[in-house]
Amino acid sequence: MVNHIFLARLFLIGLAIVAIFTIVVDTSPEEVKLLPCLFHTVTDVPCPGCGMTRACISLSHGQFTDAWRYHPFSFIIIGLAICLAIFPTKFTDVWSGLSSKTQSIIGIFGVVLCLSVWIMKLTSIIE
């Protein structure tokens, strides 16, 4: 059965495999092309998640400033995946313990923050 815990663990295992591969073949996160971004391919505009793969691989290499430059959300994504993979019961208990209003506020804040990062990236491209 596929659930959020399984997906978090799969993400971390996949990230570890890609990180080891990039170290063995001596390639930088900048050169890794796993899946093309459909949004970017069609519109020629980066999507809100563009740079996340390179950011996560940079984090796995310990290149924190590069990861931040590629996509600041990589720190949150990997942190959440680690917490969910290692402490699934505690993680879900804490989330379930929050009121639905608090959960909604956190979700809205995350979307607004992600869109803000995207707008900043778009304005830096235009300039």
Side-chain angles (χ1 to χ4, degrees):
M1 180 176 185
V2 176
N3 60 26
H4 55 284
I5 298 166
F6 174 77
L7 291 175
R9 290 176 178 161
L10 185 65
F11 166 72
L12 292 173
I13 291 168
L15 181 60
I17 290 169
V18 171
I20 291 168
F21 176 77
T22 57
I23 291 170
V24 169
V25 298
D26 194 31
T27 185
S28 70
E30 181 80 25
E31 299 169 316
V32 174
K33 303 275 191 251
L34 295 177
L35 295 173
C37 175
L38 183 60
F39 183 87
H40 184 67
T41 303
V42 171
T43 65
D44 204 30
V45 174
C47 76
C50 276
M52 186 65 75
T53 302
R54 288 173 291 165
C56 289
I57 295 170
S58 293
L59 268 177
S60 69
H61 284 239
Q63 301 168 346
F64 302 112
T65 54
D66 287 344
W68 184 265
R69 186 175 38 105
Y70 290 134
H71 205 295
F73 266 46
S74 60
F75 293 88
I76 295 170
I77 296 294
I78 290 180
L80 288 174
I82 289 171
C83 289
L84 189 56
I86 297 174
F87 309 108
T89 306
K90 182 67 174 168
F91 188 87
T92 52
D93 287 348
V94 168
W95 182 253
S96 301
L98 299 174
S99 69
S100 61
K101 182 178 179 180
T102 304
Q103 290 176 353
S104 296
I105 290 171
I106 291 171
I108 291 168
F109 180 73
V111 169
V112 168
L113 197 58
C114 185
L115 291 175
S116 299
V117 168
W118 184 44
I119 290 169
M120 288 174 50
K121 280 186 172 192
L122 290 176
T123 56
S124 69
I125 291 171
I126 293 170
E127 294 176 348

